[in-house]
Amino acid sequence: LQVYGTVFHMNQGNPFKLKALVDKWPDFNTVVIRPQEQEMTDELDHYTNTYQVYSKDPKKCQEFLGLPEVINWKQHLQIQSTQSSLDDVIKNLAALKLGKVKQTQCLLYMVSELGKKMANSLLDAKNPSPNDNKFKSIHQKILQLSSLDPSHAALVNTFWYFGGNERSQRFIERCIKTFPNWCLLGPEGTPVSWVLMDQTGEMRMAGTMPKYRRQGLITYLSYIQTQALNKLGFPMYSHVDRANHIMQKLALNMKNIRMPCDWNQWNFLP
């Protein structure tokens, strides 16, 4: 899904200036999506230095992934994949490169509309839509549907689990400028809840100000996001931490599909 979503955006103008590498063509075994070299100027910026990997045979991709022209192991970087079986390969490479690697593994969900296109066998019936009229009747007087602008990146960065630093804020700013996003503005005109998308097509970085939590705002925005992106033909999926039971419940309520594979991210330090 991560490779598919990234290639989708590459075919839509390639706003993040990425490139795809394969070990051989046309009968490739492994594909790696990565930034172009001129984009990777900050050795410590793993948000930019991100690679998406898919391999038909993970046990045979170590040599390809070890090539310096494929992955720059001299930088702080992160590798993303839905294939947990890459763990041994990446850890072996990290040891060979004399670095340290940490794996983060989360649950992976696919939005139901995408499921109807890509995994019809997993669906029994058409999914019902949330009743946004009920939401509007409660909140329309104080909250306004809008989109984020780059000045809101600092706020999103404060609440993002993987953020909280200067480099993550730059990454969020870039996502806000580049991809569709939605938010709800409070009485003061500042965002109180928001949902974004990154270069892999993943719906992520959602958050709500503490004062406005437990009111269904993320559910509402997720519904808006799903409907809009579905009309544009975007791939739609997201990951949820195994300990985040609230977001797991939201995914269940949205009739999202829990995928049999996981969302994996490996952070490497040289």
Side-chain angles (χ1 to χ4, degrees):
L1 271 175
Q2 289 158 319
V3 170
Y4 172 79
T6 309
V7 171
F8 178 91
H9 283 303
M10 291 173 68
N11 289 331
Q12 300 294 315
N14 197 13
F16 259 51
K17 301 178 182 178
L18 305 173
K19 64 179 181 179
L21 303 176
V22 294
D23 54 351
K24 53 185 177 179
W25 187 261
D27 187 23
F28 68 88
N29 178 64
T30 302
V31 58
V32 175
I33 311 295
R34 54 160 291 168
Q36 298 180 29
E37 285 78 2
Q38 60 267 30
E39 297 292 315
M40 306 172 74
T41 56
D42 186 344
E43 301 285 336
L44 305 180
D45 185 6
H46 64 265
Y47 300 96
T48 298
N49 308 332
T50 297
Y51 302 77
Q52 287 78 38
V53 178
Y54 171 75
S55 182
K56 297 176 184 177
D57 189 353
K59 295 181 180 179
K60 295 183 179 180
C61 67
Q62 180 168 321
E63 181 179 357
F64 180 63
L65 297 183
L67 297 174
E69 61 268 29
V70 176
I71 295 179
N72 184 355
W73 293 95
K74 295 181 180 180
Q75 295 182 323
H76 289 220
L77 60 88
Q78 56 190 20
I79 297 172
Q80 298 174 343
S81 177
T82 57
Q83 294 177 286
S84 302
S85 52
L86 288 170
D87 186 54
D88 287 341
V89 170
I90 293 172
K91 287 180 178 177
N92 288 341
L93 285 167
L96 290 171
K97 305 298 180 180
L98 303 179
K100 297 180 180 179
V101 66
K102 177 184 178 182
Q103 181 189 17
T104 301
Q105 191 174 72
C106 298
L107 304 178
L108 182 66
Y109 291 89
M110 192 162 60
V111 172
S112 56
E113 282 80 3
L114 182 60
K116 284 181 278 188
K117 296 179 181 179
M118 298 181 63
N120 288 328
S121 62
L122 297 178
L123 294 173
D124 296 324
K126 186 176 180 180
N127 297 301
S129 299
N131 186 352
D132 59 334
N133 290 326
K134 180 179 179 181
F135 172 90
K136 289 179 180 178
S137 66
I138 298 173
H139 298 286
Q140 64 182 351
K141 294 183 179 180
I142 61 171
L143 302 181
Q144 178 184 353
L145 182 64
S146 185
S147 58
L148 298 166
D149 64 53
S151 67
H152 298 139
L155 175 63
V156 176
N157 191 39
T158 300
F159 290 92
W160 187 30
Y161 177 80
F162 293 102
N165 58 75
E166 181 181 346
R167 292 181 175 88
S168 61
Q169 183 167 323
R170 288 204 305 265
F171 173 75
I172 293 169
E173 287 178 1
R174 192 177 183 188
C175 289
I176 290 174
K177 292 177 181 178
T178 307
F179 303 116
N181 66 79
W182 288 264
C183 72
L184 289 168
L185 301 177
E188 299 82 11
T190 56
V192 300
S193 189
W194 52 86
V195 290
L196 287 79
M197 171 183 284
D198 70 7
Q199 78 276 21
T200 70
E202 182 175 358
M203 304 159 68
R204 62 186 310 198
M205 293 177 275
T208 300
M209 298 290 287
K211 177 182 176 181
Y212 291 88
R213 290 174 183 170
R214 299 186 182 277
Q215 299 183 41
L217 303 190
I218 289 293
T219 301
Y220 174 71
L221 286 176
S222 296
Y223 168 60
I224 295 294
Q225 183 183 41
T226 297
Q227 294 302 305
L229 296 181
N230 188 51
K231 291 179 181 178
L232 296 172
F234 278 39
M236 292 174 289
Y237 67 99
S238 62
H239 73 270
V240 178
D241 189 278
R242 294 181 184 276
N244 193 340
H245 300 294
I246 293 177
M247 291 303 293
Q248 290 175 37
K249 183 178 180 180
L250 184 151
L252 181 64
N253 291 339
M254 292 290 293
K255 308 301 180 184
N256 291 348
I257 304 165
R258 165 79 186 278
M259 302 303 291
C261 54
D262 293 311
W263 181 94
N264 297 279
Q265 180 170 281
W266 292 268
N267 284 76
F268 173 79
L269 300 178

